[in-house]
Amino acid sequence: MTLSLKPHYSAVVIGGGQAGLSASHYLKKHGIDHVVFEKKTVAHKWKDERWDAFCLVTPNWQCQLPDHPYDGDDPHGFMIKDEIIAYVDRFIKKVDAPVLEGTTVSLLEKVDGVFKVESSAGTVTADCVVLATSLYSRPSIPRAAERLPDDILQIHTVDYRNPLQLPAGSVVVVGSGQSGCQIAEDLHLAGRKVHMVTGNAPRCARFYRGRDVVDWLADVGQYDITVEHDGMTKKKHDTNHYLTGRDGGRDIDLRKFALEGMSLYGRMDGISGGKMLFAPNLKANLNNADRVYNGINGLIDRYIAEKGIDAPPASVYTPLWEPPIEPSELDLAAEGVTSVIWATGFDPDWSYVGLPIFDGTGYPVQRRGVTGIGGVYVLGLPWLWTWGSGRLLAVGKDAEHVVDHLAGYLEGSQPVLRQAVGR
């Protein structure tokens, strides 16, 4: 679609990923004129920032983009990278959003009662803005990386594709979230020596008592719990559970990998003199991940008992391996380390937002995407409203809510949330 930029829009959407496209879908349904500014290309993260063996962690049926549910013949399977891209491409074509790709927004501010949006394509004004740039704007790499020897290749997970791109030798993977654990497994299965630096990420069983755990959790109602439920507010900063959909789906058990030759360490504490240094918390990290694993299974056990469901018997995970020591350092040269993969997450980039909508942690203060400033909305954030808010499962539901509110605001019938917004 070739666009000529207008001086004013009813709405400007910043970000052309799944959240921004979902917003555009509903804006078009409401007949609201708008434009989408995308810094790179539409849905580029799916296409350009995933490794070759990437696949969904949640079952295909959870792909629920607006008016575009999973349309394949394997709802309980896990789409691989090319299949995911094809699914998203069909959504892109269906929405046919008015997107300006390669357009960087440098400033958003309110001037004379309207929002002024400065971008590399020009400056426009708008009655409303939807910030759909997520929390995953920039790869986060610790400053300690600067102390690694020059002959060691360093890449972030966004640049990892497969084991063959790395030089021969051992590989350190720093970070045990979903991406870190899956990449460590990818390398391990390829026969590479992997040194895995763990963090506080929890883990989850793939299958339990005859079904995918995600299916059980959907029945229990976990995906419908909102961030306003007691104790859930802090979830927006939590790390996702690690498991995989690879080869039909399975658990990721770092203890099993250790038995097979992978070396595990506690949190990285620094780098000095050619050595990576670690906190003495490997045991605690593994134990916490297993505690969550068993806790989720216990939740399913109680649900099965309450409903009188006929299912295979319950079980409790027993550790397959215990660290004999708490390793304090890794001599990189002595262990033949030639590559380090930083699976250390991302930082948001709200630098363009000149509006007071953030809390002390830099997270937008909002209630289901509605901020305290009339006409300003956010979308696509983890736990914006529910567990699925930042994912294919529920981003569409949040977008529908946001655009319904936005339409009411334009009509003058929707009050601005102020007191409730910080809840």
Side-chain angles (χ1 to χ4, degrees):
M1 177 183 292
T2 302
L3 293 178
S4 296
L5 206 59
K6 299 193 304 181
H8 182 82
Y9 293 88
S10 295
V12 167
V13 179
I14 303 173
Q18 61 208 35
L21 293 175
S22 295
S24 180
H25 171 81
Y26 286 112
L27 288 166
K28 291 180 78 170
K29 276 197 164 187
H30 276 276
I32 296 172
D33 66 295
H34 66 284
V35 66
V36 180
F37 289 139
E38 165 53 44
K39 185 176 182 178
K40 295 183 180 179
T41 57
V42 172
H44 70 93
K45 286 188 176 295
W46 289 112
K47 300 178 180 183
D48 303 328
E49 297 185 5
R50 300 292 189 269
W51 56 96
D52 295 348
F54 180 87
C55 64
L56 290 181
V57 170
T58 51
N60 295 332
W61 67 260
Q62 283 212 339
C63 295
Q64 297 289 333
L65 289 172
D67 293 338
H68 188 61
Y70 172 70
D71 49 4
D73 58 4
D74 189 14
H76 294 283
F78 307 91
M79 286 189 284
I80 61 175
K81 181 179 177 180
D82 288 346
E83 294 170 332
I84 302 165
I85 291 172
Y87 167 78
V88 172
D89 276 342
R90 291 193 294 276
F91 180 64
I92 293 169
K93 184 177 180 180
K94 183 180 293 186
V95 174
D96 192 24
V99 181
L100 278 176
E101 295 182 315
T103 302
T104 301
V105 174
S106 55
L107 180 63
L108 165 64
E109 59 182 351
K110 194 166 187 178
V111 179
D112 297 330
V114 296
F115 297 102
K116 180 182 177 183
V117 184
E118 296 182 3
S119 80
S120 57
T123 299
V124 301
T125 58
D127 300 310
C128 299
V129 290
V130 180
L131 311 181
T133 48
S134 84
L135 297 183
Y136 310 119
S137 297
R138 299 177 298 202
S140 177
I141 297 177
R143 290 295 301 270
E146 299 166 6
R147 302 188 185 97
L148 281 173
D150 292 339
D151 60 350
I152 291 180
L153 173 70
Q154 300 185 55
I155 60 173
H156 191 271
T157 55
V158 297
D159 296 314
Y160 175 75
R161 294 297 173 265
N162 58 65
L164 294 177
Q165 83 182 102
L166 305 180
S170 301
V171 185
V172 177
V173 178
V174 182
S176 58
Q178 280 186 3
S179 294
C181 284
Q182 290 176 77
I183 289 173
E185 181 190 46
D186 193 42
L187 293 162
H188 182 67
L189 292 175
R192 300 296 290 268
K193 171 61 182 180
V194 177
H195 298 271
M196 181 67 173
V197 182
T198 64
N200 62 358
R203 75 185 187 102
C204 177
R206 176 77 279 165
F207 301 104
Y208 183 62
R209 302 193 69 174
R211 298 176 73 200
D212 193 302
V213 165
V214 170
D215 293 343
W216 282 122
L217 292 178
D219 289 349
V220 170
Q222 288 297 109
Y223 294 103
D224 297 321
I225 296 174
T226 74
V227 73
E228 292 187 337
H229 189 273
D230 289 346
M232 303 304 285
T233 303
K234 69 181 188 312
K235 288 287 186 181
K236 63 190 180 185
H237 299 297
D238 280 2
T239 304
N240 285 324
H241 306 72
Y242 58 84
L243 71 167
T244 183
R246 186 166 177 164
D247 301 327
R250 55 176 171 253
D251 293 5
I252 288 183
D253 186 349
L254 297 182
R255 297 181 193 267
K256 178 176 179 291
F257 288 158
L259 286 173
E260 296 170 349
M262 186 181 293
S263 297
L264 306 182
Y265 306 86
R267 185 191 69 246
M268 189 188 78
D269 256 0
I271 298 171
S272 179
K275 296 180 179 180
M276 193 171 281
L277 311 177
F278 309 104
N281 61 358
L282 172 59
K283 292 181 181 180
N285 290 342
L286 295 174
N287 289 340
N288 180 66
D290 292 342
R291 178 187 60 79
V292 175
Y293 181 102
N294 283 324
I296 292 172
N297 289 352
L299 174 67
I300 294 169
D301 291 337
R302 293 190 292 275
Y303 175 78
I304 289 172
E306 290 168 2
K307 299 297 182 182
I309 297 171
D310 184 17
S315 63
V316 176
Y317 174 79
T318 302
L320 303 176
W321 172 86
E322 291 286 356
I325 60 168
E326 286 283 353
S328 60
E329 62 182 35
L330 170 64
D331 187 319
L332 300 169
E335 292 295 331
V337 172
T338 58
S339 307
V340 172
I341 299 175
W342 297 104
T344 41
F346 298 81
D347 294 321
D349 181 10
W350 304 109
S351 59
Y352 65 92
V353 183
L355 301 170
I357 62 170
F358 302 99
D359 64 16
T361 69
Y363 193 94
V365 178
Q366 49 79 34
R367 186 175 187 274
R368 200 174 183 181
V370 182
T371 75
I373 297 181
V376 180
Y377 303 88
V378 292
L379 265 182
L381 306 184
W383 280 98
L384 183 84
W385 187 241
T386 64
W387 198 358
S389 285
R391 297 182 287 157
L392 297 172
L393 173 63
V395 66
K397 295 177 182 178
D398 290 341
E400 183 176 23
H401 176 81
V402 159
V403 174
D404 283 348
H405 191 285
L406 184 154
Y409 175 80
L410 289 175
E411 295 170 359
S413 61
Q414 195 66 262
V416 178
L417 296 180
R418 293 195 184 280
Q419 298 303 318
V421 76
R423 288 163 46 187

